Tab-separated table of all heavy atoms in Angstrom:
chain	number	residue	atom	x	y	z
A	20	ARG	N	-0.584	12.444	6.356
A	20	ARG	CA	-0.861	12.506	7.797
A	20	ARG	C	-1.469	11.200	8.288
A	20	ARG	O	-1.194	10.757	9.410
A	20	ARG	CB	-1.787	13.680	8.103
A	20	ARG	CG	-1.100	15.041	8.059
A	20	ARG	CD	-1.982	16.130	8.656
A	20	ARG	NE	-3.146	16.398	7.811
A	20	ARG	CZ	-3.168	17.302	6.828
A	20	ARG	NH1	-2.070	18.017	6.571
A	20	ARG	NH2	-4.252	17.503	6.115
A	21	ARG	N	-2.300	10.568	7.458
A	21	ARG	CA	-2.945	9.307	7.865
A	21	ARG	C	-1.970	8.140	7.860
A	21	ARG	O	-2.069	7.235	8.699
A	21	ARG	CB	-4.118	8.977	6.938
A	21	ARG	CG	-5.293	9.909	7.056
A	21	ARG	CD	-6.561	9.272	6.495
A	21	ARG	NE	-6.403	8.823	5.116
A	21	ARG	CZ	-6.677	9.573	4.054
A	21	ARG	NH1	-7.097	10.828	4.217
A	21	ARG	NH2	-6.536	9.104	2.825
A	22	TYR	N	-1.038	8.147	6.907
A	22	TYR	CA	-0.223	6.949	6.678
A	22	TYR	C	1.266	7.164	6.949
A	22	TYR	O	2.086	6.345	6.541
A	22	TYR	CB	-0.424	6.468	5.238
A	22	TYR	CG	-1.863	6.177	4.898
A	22	TYR	CD1	-2.520	6.889	3.892
A	22	TYR	CD2	-2.579	5.202	5.590
A	22	TYR	CE1	-3.844	6.620	3.573
A	22	TYR	CE2	-3.901	4.922	5.271
A	22	TYR	CZ	-4.532	5.640	4.261
A	22	TYR	OH	-5.837	5.367	3.954
A	23	GLU	N	1.618	8.216	7.623
A	23	GLU	CA	3.027	8.549	7.857
A	23	GLU	C	3.798	7.396	8.478
A	23	GLU	O	4.902	7.051	8.032
A	23	GLU	CB	3.114	9.783	8.762
A	23	GLU	CG	4.526	10.177	9.149
A	23	GLU	CD	4.561	11.391	10.050
A	23	GLU	OE1	3.483	11.925	10.392
A	23	GLU	OE2	5.679	11.802	10.436
A	24	THR	N	3.231	6.776	9.514
A	24	THR	CA	3.934	5.695	10.213
A	24	THR	C	4.187	4.507	9.299
A	24	THR	O	5.278	3.929	9.283
A	24	THR	CB	3.133	5.250	11.450
A	24	THR	OG1	2.942	6.370	12.315
A	24	THR	CG2	3.884	4.153	12.208
A	25	LEU	N	3.185	4.118	8.514
A	25	LEU	CA	3.345	2.984	7.603
A	25	LEU	C	4.406	3.267	6.544
A	25	LEU	O	5.248	2.411	6.241
A	25	LEU	CB	2.015	2.663	6.920
A	25	LEU	CG	1.004	1.812	7.695
A	25	LEU	CD1	-0.291	1.733	6.923
A	25	LEU	CD2	1.566	0.429	7.965
A	26	ILE	N	4.384	4.465	5.989
A	26	ILE	CA	5.329	4.800	4.915
A	26	ILE	C	6.764	4.748	5.417
A	26	ILE	O	7.682	4.358	4.685
A	26	ILE	CB	4.989	6.189	4.340
A	26	ILE	CG1	3.655	6.134	3.592
A	26	ILE	CG2	6.097	6.693	3.418
A	26	ILE	CD1	3.109	7.493	3.200
A	27	ALA	N	6.982	5.094	6.677
A	27	ALA	CA	8.333	5.121	7.241
A	27	ALA	C	8.756	3.789	7.852
A	27	ALA	O	9.867	3.673	8.364
A	27	ALA	CB	8.425	6.216	8.307
A	28	SER	N	7.902	2.753	7.771
A	28	SER	CA	8.134	1.518	8.528
A	28	SER	C	9.084	0.529	7.889
A	28	SER	O	9.544	-0.398	8.538
A	28	SER	CB	6.801	0.811	8.761
A	28	SER	OG	6.280	0.310	7.528
A	29	ASP	N	9.370	0.628	6.584
A	29	ASP	CA	10.175	-0.344	5.831
A	29	ASP	C	9.451	-1.660	5.597
A	29	ASP	O	10.042	-2.612	5.078
A	29	ASP	CB	11.514	-0.640	6.532
A	29	ASP	CG	12.446	0.552	6.520
A	29	ASP	OD1	12.339	1.362	5.578
A	29	ASP	OD2	13.260	0.672	7.439
A	30	ASP	N	8.178	-1.765	5.971
A	30	ASP	CA	7.425	-2.999	5.752
A	30	ASP	C	6.852	-3.023	4.329
A	30	ASP	O	6.553	-1.969	3.759
A	30	ASP	CB	6.267	-3.107	6.751
A	30	ASP	CG	6.754	-3.290	8.169
A	30	ASP	OD1	7.813	-3.928	8.345
A	30	ASP	OD2	6.088	-2.793	9.100
A	31	PRO	N	6.681	-4.204	3.731
A	31	PRO	CA	6.010	-4.292	2.434
A	31	PRO	C	4.596	-3.729	2.514
A	31	PRO	O	3.858	-4.015	3.467
A	31	PRO	CB	6.007	-5.795	2.141
A	31	PRO	CG	7.165	-6.333	2.914
A	31	PRO	CD	7.196	-5.526	4.170
A	32	LEU	N	4.223	-2.938	1.521
A	32	LEU	CA	2.964	-2.209	1.564
A	32	LEU	C	2.118	-2.487	0.332
A	32	LEU	O	2.624	-2.892	-0.719
A	32	LEU	CB	3.222	-0.701	1.635
A	32	LEU	CG	4.065	-0.177	2.797
A	32	LEU	CD1	4.313	1.316	2.635
A	32	LEU	CD2	3.405	-0.476	4.132
A	33	CYS	N	0.821	-2.214	0.458
A	33	CYS	CA	-0.097	-2.159	-0.667
A	33	CYS	C	-0.585	-0.717	-0.784
A	33	CYS	O	-1.082	-0.145	0.193
A	33	CYS	CB	-1.273	-3.106	-0.456
A	33	CYS	SG	-2.544	-2.957	-1.740
A	34	LEU	N	-0.417	-0.124	-1.960
A	34	LEU	CA	-0.839	1.251	-2.189
A	34	LEU	C	-1.999	1.277	-3.166
A	34	LEU	O	-1.991	0.580	-4.182
A	34	LEU	CB	0.303	2.087	-2.777
A	34	LEU	CG	1.640	2.119	-2.036
A	34	LEU	CD1	2.577	3.116	-2.711
A	34	LEU	CD2	1.453	2.502	-0.577
A	35	GLY	N	-2.980	2.120	-2.868
A	35	GLY	CA	-4.064	2.375	-3.799
A	35	GLY	C	-4.032	3.824	-4.215
A	35	GLY	O	-3.706	4.701	-3.404
A	36	GLY	N	-4.338	4.103	-5.477
A	36	GLY	CA	-4.295	5.488	-5.913
A	36	GLY	C	-4.595	5.644	-7.384
A	36	GLY	O	-5.086	4.723	-8.055
A	37	THR	N	-4.273	6.830	-7.886
A	37	THR	CA	-4.540	7.173	-9.274
A	37	THR	C	-3.244	7.154	-10.065
A	37	THR	O	-2.243	7.764	-9.663
A	37	THR	CB	-5.170	8.572	-9.362
A	37	THR	OG1	-6.372	8.595	-8.582
A	37	THR	CG2	-5.499	8.922	-10.811
A	38	LEU	N	-3.280	6.469	-11.193
A	38	LEU	CA	-2.097	6.357	-12.047
A	38	LEU	C	-2.041	7.536	-13.006
A	38	LEU	O	-3.028	7.860	-13.673
A	38	LEU	CB	-2.151	5.050	-12.830
A	38	LEU	CG	-0.981	4.751	-13.779
A	38	LEU	CD1	0.301	4.528	-12.986
A	38	LEU	CD2	-1.300	3.542	-14.643
A	39	GLU	N	-0.884	8.192	-13.058
A	39	GLU	CA	-0.664	9.272	-14.017
A	39	GLU	C	0.405	8.831	-15.006
A	39	GLU	O	1.550	8.576	-14.632
A	39	GLU	CB	-0.236	10.553	-13.299
A	39	GLU	CG	-1.332	11.132	-12.405
A	39	GLU	CD	-0.980	12.502	-11.858
A	39	GLU	OE1	0.211	12.900	-11.963
A	39	GLU	OE2	-1.877	13.183	-11.326
A	40	VAL	N	0.025	8.703	-16.271
A	40	VAL	CA	0.929	8.231	-17.322
A	40	VAL	C	1.050	9.300	-18.392
A	40	VAL	O	0.044	9.820	-18.883
A	40	VAL	CB	0.415	6.923	-17.959
A	40	VAL	CG1	1.386	6.431	-19.013
A	40	VAL	CG2	0.193	5.857	-16.900
A	41	SER	N	2.279	9.632	-18.727
A	41	SER	CA	2.534	10.566	-19.824
A	41	SER	C	3.814	10.138	-20.520
A	41	SER	O	4.447	9.139	-20.142
A	41	SER	CB	2.678	11.996	-19.293
A	41	SER	OG	3.852	12.121	-18.491
A	42	GLU	N	4.208	10.888	-21.546
A	42	GLU	CA	5.452	10.551	-22.239
A	42	GLU	C	6.662	10.758	-21.337
A	42	GLU	O	7.682	10.096	-21.511
A	42	GLU	CB	5.593	11.413	-23.503
A	42	GLU	CG	4.566	11.101	-24.576
A	42	GLU	CD	4.784	11.956	-25.810
A	42	GLU	OE1	5.746	12.761	-25.810
A	42	GLU	OE2	4.010	11.812	-26.777
A	43	GLU	N	6.549	11.677	-20.375
A	43	GLU	CA	7.696	12.000	-19.521
A	43	GLU	C	7.809	11.089	-18.309
A	43	GLU	O	8.901	10.784	-17.852
A	43	GLU	CB	7.613	13.454	-19.047
A	43	GLU	CG	7.797	14.498	-20.143
A	43	GLU	CD	6.533	14.688	-20.968
A	43	GLU	OE1	5.435	14.404	-20.442
A	43	GLU	OE2	6.658	15.103	-22.136
A	44	ARG	N	6.682	10.658	-17.761
A	44	ARG	CA	6.768	9.917	-16.507
A	44	ARG	C	5.558	9.043	-16.274
A	44	ARG	O	4.524	9.184	-16.932
A	44	ARG	CB	6.914	10.878	-15.332
A	44	ARG	CG	5.746	11.844	-15.157
A	44	ARG	CD	5.821	12.622	-13.847
A	44	ARG	NE	7.155	13.086	-13.585
A	44	ARG	CZ	7.506	13.752	-12.489
A	44	ARG	NH1	6.600	14.029	-11.575
A	44	ARG	NH2	8.748	14.163	-12.303
A	45	CYS	N	5.738	8.147	-15.313
A	45	CYS	CA	4.654	7.282	-14.846
A	45	CYS	C	4.703	7.319	-13.328
A	45	CYS	O	5.733	6.982	-12.734
A	45	CYS	CB	4.836	5.864	-15.378
A	45	CYS	SG	3.582	4.680	-14.815
A	46	GLN	N	3.617	7.751	-12.691
A	46	GLN	CA	3.623	7.871	-11.237
A	46	GLN	C	2.239	7.585	-10.676
A	46	GLN	O	1.246	7.560	-11.409
A	46	GLN	CB	4.085	9.259	-10.807
A	46	GLN	CG	3.174	10.386	-11.247
A	46	GLN	CD	3.700	11.756	-10.869
A	46	GLN	OE1	4.876	11.929	-10.566
A	46	GLN	NE2	2.822	12.759	-10.893
A	47	ILE	N	2.209	7.355	-9.377
A	47	ILE	CA	0.947	7.086	-8.687
A	47	ILE	C	0.723	8.176	-7.641
A	47	ILE	O	1.633	8.497	-6.865
A	47	ILE	CB	0.965	5.712	-7.990
A	47	ILE	CG1	1.109	4.584	-9.017
A	47	ILE	CG2	-0.309	5.505	-7.169
A	47	ILE	CD1	1.301	3.215	-8.383
A	48	ILE	N	-0.484	8.756	-7.622
A	48	ILE	CA	-0.899	9.654	-6.549
A	48	ILE	C	-1.686	8.794	-5.560
A	48	ILE	O	-2.791	8.331	-5.866
A	48	ILE	CB	-1.770	10.811	-7.067
A	48	ILE	CG1	-1.082	11.507	-8.245
A	48	ILE	CG2	-2.074	11.789	-5.941
A	48	ILE	CD1	0.276	12.090	-7.911
A	49	THR	N	-1.100	8.548	-4.412
A	49	THR	CA	-1.639	7.558	-3.483
A	49	THR	C	-2.579	8.182	-2.461
A	49	THR	O	-2.282	9.237	-1.890
A	49	THR	CB	-0.492	6.848	-2.740
A	49	THR	OG1	0.217	6.033	-3.671
A	49	THR	CG2	-1.018	5.970	-1.634
A	50	ASP	N	-3.724	7.514	-2.237
A	50	ASP	CA	-4.648	7.961	-1.198
A	50	ASP	C	-4.986	6.847	-0.203
A	50	ASP	O	-5.801	7.023	0.686
A	50	ASP	CB	-5.944	8.512	-1.819
A	50	ASP	CG	-6.586	7.535	-2.804
A	50	ASP	OD1	-6.371	6.310	-2.658
A	50	ASP	OD2	-7.287	7.998	-3.721
A	51	GLU	N	-4.323	5.674	-0.367
A	51	GLU	CA	-4.572	4.552	0.550
A	51	GLU	C	-3.298	3.728	0.702
A	51	GLU	O	-2.659	3.368	-0.287
A	51	GLU	CB	-5.697	3.670	0.000
A	51	GLU	CG	-6.049	2.483	0.886
A	51	GLU	CD	-7.107	1.592	0.254
A	51	GLU	OE1	-7.540	1.882	-0.882
A	51	GLU	OE2	-7.472	0.596	0.896
A	52	VAL	N	-2.920	3.456	1.957
A	52	VAL	CA	-1.717	2.668	2.239
A	52	VAL	C	-2.062	1.632	3.303
A	52	VAL	O	-2.620	1.974	4.354
A	52	VAL	CB	-0.559	3.559	2.744
A	52	VAL	CG1	0.686	2.707	3.002
A	52	VAL	CG2	-0.250	4.679	1.765
A	53	THR	N	-1.726	0.367	3.040
A	53	THR	CA	-1.996	-0.720	3.984
A	53	THR	C	-0.787	-1.643	4.044
A	53	THR	O	-0.158	-1.907	3.013
A	53	THR	CB	-3.222	-1.551	3.560
A	53	THR	OG1	-4.300	-0.676	3.236
A	53	THR	CG2	-3.649	-2.500	4.669
A	54	ALA	N	-0.444	-2.119	5.224
A	54	ALA	CA	0.632	-3.096	5.364
A	54	ALA	C	0.184	-4.431	4.791
A	54	ALA	O	-0.928	-4.899	5.082
A	54	ALA	CB	1.029	-3.256	6.828
A	55	LEU	N	1.032	-5.043	3.968
A	55	LEU	CA	0.678	-6.344	3.394
A	55	LEU	C	0.443	-7.392	4.478
A	55	LEU	O	-0.416	-8.261	4.339
A	55	LEU	CB	1.784	-6.814	2.446
A	55	LEU	CG	1.631	-6.428	0.977
A	55	LEU	CD1	2.872	-6.805	0.193
A	55	LEU	CD2	0.396	-7.077	0.379
A	56	ALA	N	1.208	-7.315	5.555
A	56	ALA	CA	1.035	-8.278	6.648
A	56	ALA	C	-0.365	-8.166	7.253
A	56	ALA	O	-0.976	-9.172	7.618
A	56	ALA	CB	2.099	-8.047	7.721
A	57	ALA	N	-0.884	-6.952	7.375
A	57	ALA	CA	-2.226	-6.759	7.928
A	57	ALA	C	-3.290	-7.309	6.994
A	57	ALA	O	-4.278	-7.909	7.434
A	57	ALA	CB	-2.466	-5.275	8.195
A	58	ILE	N	-3.088	-7.112	5.676
A	58	ILE	CA	-4.037	-7.651	4.700
A	58	ILE	C	-4.068	-9.169	4.785
A	58	ILE	O	-5.128	-9.796	4.788
A	58	ILE	CB	-3.656	-7.198	3.280
A	58	ILE	CG1	-3.817	-5.692	3.146
A	58	ILE	CG2	-4.497	-7.928	2.235
A	58	ILE	CD1	-3.348	-5.137	1.817
A	59	ARG	N	-2.888	-9.760	4.874
A	59	ARG	CA	-2.826	-11.222	4.972
A	59	ARG	C	-3.501	-11.705	6.252
A	59	ARG	O	-4.275	-12.673	6.235
A	59	ARG	CB	-1.381	-11.690	4.961
A	59	ARG	CG	-1.262	-13.173	5.328
A	59	ARG	CD	0.169	-13.575	5.526
A	59	ARG	NE	0.854	-13.691	4.250
A	59	ARG	CZ	2.169	-13.851	4.132
A	59	ARG	NH1	2.921	-13.876	5.208
A	59	ARG	NH2	2.723	-13.967	2.950
A	60	GLU	N	-3.192	-11.046	7.357
A	60	GLU	CA	-3.734	-11.496	8.645
A	60	GLU	C	-5.252	-11.495	8.633
A	60	GLU	O	-5.887	-12.392	9.180
A	60	GLU	CB	-3.213	-10.585	9.762
A	60	GLU	CG	-3.488	-11.120	11.157
A	60	GLU	CD	-2.795	-10.295	12.228
A	60	GLU	OE1	-1.867	-9.532	11.894
A	60	GLU	OE2	-3.180	-10.424	13.399
A	61	ARG	N	-5.842	-10.503	7.972
A	61	ARG	CA	-7.313	-10.443	7.911
A	61	ARG	C	-7.889	-11.515	6.997
A	61	ARG	O	-9.019	-11.963	7.181
A	61	ARG	CB	-7.752	-9.056	7.413
A	61	ARG	CG	-7.474	-7.932	8.380
A	61	ARG	CD	-8.279	-6.696	8.002
A	61	ARG	NE	-7.886	-6.159	6.710
A	61	ARG	CZ	-6.996	-5.182	6.555
A	61	ARG	NH1	-6.400	-4.666	7.617
A	61	ARG	NH2	-6.692	-4.738	5.349
A	62	GLY	N	-7.090	-11.942	5.979
A	62	GLY	CA	-7.626	-12.859	4.975
A	62	GLY	C	-7.297	-14.326	5.184
A	62	GLY	O	-7.846	-15.180	4.498
A	63	VAL	N	-6.418	-14.647	6.148
A	63	VAL	CA	-5.996	-16.037	6.340
A	63	VAL	C	-7.098	-16.853	7.005
A	63	VAL	O	-7.677	-16.444	8.013
A	63	VAL	CB	-4.713	-16.087	7.203
A	63	VAL	CG1	-4.385	-17.525	7.590
A	63	VAL	CG2	-3.552	-15.477	6.437
A	64	LYS	N	-7.406	-18.026	6.441
A	64	LYS	CA	-8.413	-18.923	7.006
A	64	LYS	C	-7.783	-20.068	7.795
A	64	LYS	O	-8.428	-20.659	8.663
A	64	LYS	CB	-9.290	-19.494	5.887
A	64	LYS	CG	-10.082	-18.422	5.145
A	64	LYS	CD	-10.918	-19.034	4.035
A	64	LYS	CE	-11.714	-17.957	3.290
A	64	LYS	NZ	-12.520	-18.531	2.189
A	65	GLU	N	-6.525	-20.414	7.467
A	65	GLU	CA	-5.837	-21.483	8.187
A	65	GLU	C	-4.332	-21.209	8.184
A	65	GLU	O	-3.767	-20.827	7.161
A	65	GLU	CB	-6.099	-22.847	7.553
A	65	GLU	CG	-5.447	-24.000	8.311
A	65	GLU	CD	-5.737	-25.347	7.672
A	65	GLU	OE1	-6.542	-25.400	6.714
A	65	GLU	OE2	-5.155	-26.348	8.119
A	66	PHE	N	-3.708	-21.390	9.340
A	66	PHE	CA	-2.263	-21.206	9.491
A	66	PHE	C	-1.630	-22.598	9.438
A	66	PHE	O	-1.736	-23.381	10.370
A	66	PHE	CB	-1.957	-20.537	10.834
A	66	PHE	CG	-0.527	-20.116	11.001
A	66	PHE	CD1	-0.063	-18.929	10.462
A	66	PHE	CD2	0.369	-20.905	11.712
A	66	PHE	CE1	1.252	-18.525	10.617
A	66	PHE	CE2	1.682	-20.514	11.878
A	66	PHE	CZ	2.125	-19.324	11.323
A	67	ARG	N	-0.991	-22.901	8.306
A	67	ARG	CA	-0.538	-24.267	8.058
A	67	ARG	C	0.979	-24.342	8.095
A	67	ARG	O	1.666	-23.686	7.307
A	67	ARG	CB	-1.045	-24.727	6.695
A	67	ARG	CG	-0.951	-26.222	6.467
A	67	ARG	CD	-1.868	-26.617	5.341
A	67	ARG	NE	-2.008	-28.042	5.218
A	67	ARG	CZ	-2.900	-28.642	4.448
A	67	ARG	NH1	-3.737	-27.916	3.731
A	67	ARG	NH2	-2.966	-29.958	4.384
């Protein structure tokens, strides 16, 4: 419900969550989704 728009956007994303690893599968249970472009925009100090 929080991240529906981001997940459907086709934009590159950063996901945070819990990794589940077993012999059958490897998957992530995600509880945080952020657009990579937004992360960059917040962290850029100079546009060169």
